Amino acid sequence: MASICAILNVDKSSTRLDRERMTQEISRARTAAKVEAVGLDFGTTNSAIAIVGPDGSPRLARFPAAERGDVSETFRSILFFEAVEETGGTDSAVSVGNDAIRRYLAAAGNGRLVQSLKSFLADKTFESTDVMGETYTLGDLIAPIISALRDAAIAQFGELPPRIVVGRPVHFAAAGNPDEALARSRLDIAIRRAGWTDVVFEYEPVAAAYDYALRITRDETVLIADFGGGTSDFSVLQLKPRAAAKHGAARYEILGNDGVGIAGDAFDSRMMRHLVAPALGRGTKYRSPYGMVLPAPTWPYTNLERWHHLSFLKARATMLKFDELKRESFEPEKIAALIHIVENDLGYFLFRAVEKTKLELSALEAADFMFSDPPVLIERIVARPDFENWIARYLEQIAGCVDRLMKTVALKPDAIDSVFLTGGSSFVPAVRRIFIQRFGADRIRMGDEFTSVARGLALRALDVTD
Ligand SMILES: Nc1ncnc2c1ncn2[C@@H]1O[C@H](COP(=O)(O)OP(=O)(O)OP(=O)(O)O)[C@@H](O)[C@H]1O
Ligand SMILES: [Mg+2]
């Protein structure tokens, strides 16, 4: 495994102009500051890293964006193993972030894309995974992503201190029985392997509160809600404006924290179930070998809902089962479409189409869903209320968690001065509505959706003393 970082691919595809612009920015930043504190937000979908220099303001490291020539303050928490021919056999090369996506698209299904790694941290049943004949632990998979973030921060800001403050959800999520201590220690291992020696954890919504404190002008009781890809996390704090409170201990008092393992990935899985799975044969009937009419088995569609598990179906035994199912199916063209998706590793493209529709539904009352890879064509218009019905159970669980926290801190909604909503899934109107209904629209604040946690973690790191 020592080779995994060594063979990490650097992004060679950015344009010359892009590189020049980044180089200029980097040299400006490096001359400007000595880094005093660093914060790392390792997210289920997106990660970010921020520093604080002598001026006391947080600054984010930048990365080449998905669109060539652009830069981004977030880094996709994604990994791609690509099969490469070496003398004497096939080996795998690893790439991370947008580079991983570019290589995946260029490799036409030849390799393995891994994402939402954070969701496995608390999963006791995940010990390791095999990729192209090699065994990888979670630390092996996460460390290259964190190393890339660290390298970018060093290139841009210069040497980093040995201490890092790292975000964590209030409750690490996992199917079954999550193991919090295991999750923390696995993340700790990955961060140390990336080069830090002093690792401090902080709740992600508390970090977002540090960022929010830059905006307020008077003492406030605030509810912070961070909706990401894997978890939704909440904190209630008494917060002072950053300008008014010079010392860590005086800046805030935490009244309570809570969280739930439901967020953007869970919304995507509901869209897969209701929008995509029926077109691939979910709910159709087939004639069993004993002549009985039975519903198609559900397990292929469970894998579809966690689209990155789809590649596990591409085993010979499974494909034979699909062929048999197609022969006996009352709607064989739908099973044929499922076979086409699995055989051609189209899980990521399906997920992209689903996510695009979800994002559009945050801004529009209805959005098109279209997935085309001949002969498979799935097309449908999704109205926002359809989407809201599909995720209704999850919205209830999120609202239940907010109500539970308000009960724990023994505050009436009127006692909350402002509600700060952050994280990518806070754009979902039905999520915002939970807070509007309870606290009123005029108390809702939004902003820095993808970076407030990293900025806040860097500010928090200034307060950590030995
Ligand atoms: N406009 C939007 N409407 C709805 N969902 C969105 C929008 N933009 C992003 N998302 C969703 O937000 C999620 C990513 O948000 P974010 O980057 O805050 O998560 P994360 O920090 O990686 O996850 P976590 O905090 O759970 O570890 C994804 O599920 C993405 O699909
Ligand atoms: Mg997050």
Side-chain angles (χ1 to χ4, degrees), residues 425-440:
S425 297
S426 69
F427 286 114
V428 174
V431 166
R432 287 209 297 268
R433 215 157 51 226
I434 293 172
F435 298 89
I436 294 171
Q437 280 163 356
R438 284 162 177 74
F439 302 96

Side-chain angles (χ1 to χ4, degrees), residues 19-37:
R19 280 198 300 272
E20 275 172 13
R21 207 169 87 213
M22 279 194 63
T23 315
Q24 279 167 8
E25 269 185 38
I26 287 167
S27 63
R28 257 201 309 277
R30 288 183 80 151
T31 47
K34 169 178 167 298
V35 176
E36 299 200 344

Side-chain angles (χ1 to χ4, degrees), residues 41-47 74 77 118 169 204 226-233 263-268 351 355 358-363 387 422-429 449-451 453:
D41 175 16
F42 172 63
T44 311
T45 317
N46 300 299
S47 295
T74 58
S77 312
K118 191 175 171 184
E204 285 154 8
D226 174 23
F227 297 94
T231 58
S232 298
D233 295 279
D265 282 357
F267 299 165
D268 296 338
F351 155 75
E355 200 195 29
K358 179 180 76 170
L359 266 53
E360 283 176 10
L361 284 171
S362 289
F387 172 60
T422 193
S425 297
S426 69
F427 286 114
V428 174
E449 279 80 7
F450 297 101
T451 53
V453 171

Side-chain angles (χ1 to χ4, degrees), residues 249-261:
R251 287 196 216 282
Y252 67 98
E253 184 190 343
I254 299 175
L255 304 181
N257 305 300
D258 211 335
V260 61

Side-chain angles (χ1 to χ4, degrees), residues 79-102:
L79 196 72
F80 179 56
F81 291 90
E82 184 176 356
V84 287
E85 299 296 325
E86 294 283 319
T87 35
T90 305
D91 208 344
S92 65
V94 180
S95 47
V96 291
N98 284 325
D99 196 27
I101 295 170
R102 265 196 297 276

